């Protein structure tokens, strides 16, 4: 059982790395340096489409990762 959970945790950790690397950056161009981020204050929007799916997938994977970590420590 321990070896199976450890294998699942390994696969899950690689999947988390891939999902986090696929997320788009939040920075805009050099205009943020001059505007002081005011465009983000008024232009804040909810994530939609692919970005929203990536955020939800990341949260679920990280919760599973920590759940598996706790389960692995209880098994030992």
């Amino acid at each position: 059982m321990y070896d199976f959970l450890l294998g699942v945790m390994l696969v899950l950790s690689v999947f988390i790395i891939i999902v986090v690397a696929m997320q788009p950056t939040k920075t805009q161009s050099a205009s943020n340096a001059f505007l002081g981020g005011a465009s983000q204050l008024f232009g804040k929007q909810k994530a939609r489409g692919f970005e929203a799916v990536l955020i939800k997938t990341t949260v679920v994977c990280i919760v599973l990762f920590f759940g598996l970590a706790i389960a692995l420590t209880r098994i030992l």
Side-chain angles (χ1 to χ4, degrees), residues 29-42:
S29 62
S31 65
N32 274 350
F34 297 115
L35 296 176
S39 62
Q40 289 181 352
L41 178 64
F42 298 111

Side-chain angles (χ1 to χ4, degrees), residues 1-75:
M1 184 69 171
Y2 179 80
D3 292 333
F4 175 73
L5 289 178
L6 194 61
V8 171
M9 191 170 188
L10 178 67
V11 170
L12 190 60
S13 63
V14 171
F15 187 70
I16 289 172
I17 291 170
I18 292 170
V19 170
V20 169
M22 287 176 57
Q23 291 183 359
T25 58
K26 302 280 185 191
T27 59
Q28 293 177 356
S29 62
S31 65
N32 274 350
F34 297 115
L35 296 176
S39 62
Q40 289 181 352
L41 178 64
F42 298 111
K44 190 173 185 179
Q45 296 178 355
K46 292 178 87 175
R48 297 182 187 194
F50 185 64
E51 186 178 351
V53 171
L54 284 178
I55 291 171
K56 291 176 185 175
T57 305
T58 304
V59 169
V60 168
C61 288
I62 290 175
V63 168
L64 286 174
F65 181 83
F66 281 110
L68 278 173
I70 292 170
L72 284 172
T73 58
R74 295 291 180 187
I75 289 175

